[in-house]
């Protein structure tokens, strides 16, 4: 009895060609995506490939997944109308402004003054930054450091 395998994802054009040429593949249901549907499929594919890098079991598999992710990234850039040079220039500007990630710096949280310019930036992105209500602990200032505690709401 034949088996239907559901892909439901963007694939390389050579995958389609091999499927169509294989006599053991009895049917291939496919279409060409355009516009917003293509954009969404590209972003989903980029996430898929990046996740596969983290799941790789060996350096060779990681390299293969990095290559896949880079291929999808290049298509996304082109689809959005950017040349590789434009993306590299933007990358360089971001590196100069924010630095690179290679040093492994991780910020667990920051405590902001009420009048900080950053509060509205973080509040505008609640899916990315979670806000906690805190208060200063009285009489706990040691070595110029204030101590804070979370307020249960």
């Amino acid at each position: 009895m034949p088996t239907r395998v559901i892909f439901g994802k963007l694939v390389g054009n050579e995958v389609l060609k091999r499927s169509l040429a294989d006599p053991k593949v009895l049917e291939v249901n496919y279409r060409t995506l355009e516009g917003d549907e293509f954009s969404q499929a590209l972003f989903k594919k980029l996430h898929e490939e990046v996740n596969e890098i983290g799941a790789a079991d060996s350096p060779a598999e990681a390299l293969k997944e990095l290559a896949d992710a880079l291929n999808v990234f290049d298509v996304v850039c082109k689809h959005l109308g950017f040349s590789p040079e434009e993306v590299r220039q933007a990358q360089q500007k971001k590196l100069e402004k924010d630095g690179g990630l290679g040093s492994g710096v991780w910020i667990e949280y920051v405590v902001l003054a009420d009048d900080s310019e950053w509060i509205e930036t973080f509040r505008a992105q609640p899916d990315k930054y979670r806000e906690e209500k805190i208060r200063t602990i009285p009489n706990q200032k040691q070595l110029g450091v204030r101590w804070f505690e979370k307020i249960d709401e």
Side-chain angles (χ1 to χ4, degrees):
M1 180 183 313
T3 300
R4 177 182 287 180
V5 177
I6 308 299
F7 274 48
K9 67 179 187 175
L10 197 60
V11 299
N13 57 341
E14 293 299 320
V15 173
L16 175 61
K17 287 179 186 178
R18 284 194 309 268
S19 297
L20 292 171
D22 187 337
K24 299 289 184 178
V25 176
L26 305 177
E27 178 184 353
V28 180
N29 182 294
Y30 70 95
R31 59 197 169 97
T32 301
L33 304 181
E34 297 177 353
D36 287 343
E37 189 177 27
F38 183 46
S39 296
Q40 293 305 310
L42 279 171
F43 300 140
K44 184 177 178 183
K45 186 70 172 181
L46 188 57
H47 282 278
E48 174 191 331
E49 297 301 344
V50 169
N51 288 336
E52 288 176 358
I53 295 166
D57 292 333
S58 68
E61 186 179 349
L63 180 61
K64 177 182 135 321
E65 298 305 341
L66 283 163
D68 286 346
L70 191 54
N71 286 336
V72 177
F73 180 80
D74 288 344
V75 174
V76 169
C77 292
K78 183 178 178 183
H79 181 70
L80 295 175
F82 299 112
S83 70
E85 294 78 24
E86 288 175 298
V87 174
R88 294 292 179 232
Q89 289 172 355
Q91 177 190 30
Q92 188 59 40
K93 286 180 184 176
K94 284 287 286 181
L95 284 170
E96 289 169 6
K97 178 181 178 262
D98 298 335
L101 302 175
S103 62
V105 173
W106 175 277
I107 294 179
E108 193 66 41
Y109 64 84
V110 295
V111 176
L112 302 172
D114 291 337
D115 60 350
S116 170
E117 65 185 87
W118 292 102
I119 288 178
E120 292 309 314
T121 299
F122 296 133
R123 285 182 178 159
Q125 303 174 71
D127 293 339
K128 198 172 176 182
Y129 302 103
R130 183 173 46 95
E131 187 175 334
E132 291 183 340
K133 299 294 181 192
I134 59 171
R135 67 176 180 194
T136 304
I137 302 174
N139 303 318
Q140 291 295 316
K141 189 171 183 180
Q142 299 173 6
L143 301 174
V145 176
R146 280 186 260 173
W147 295 79
F148 301 93
E149 67 182 350
K150 183 178 173 185
I151 300 171
D152 292 324
E153 297 182 54

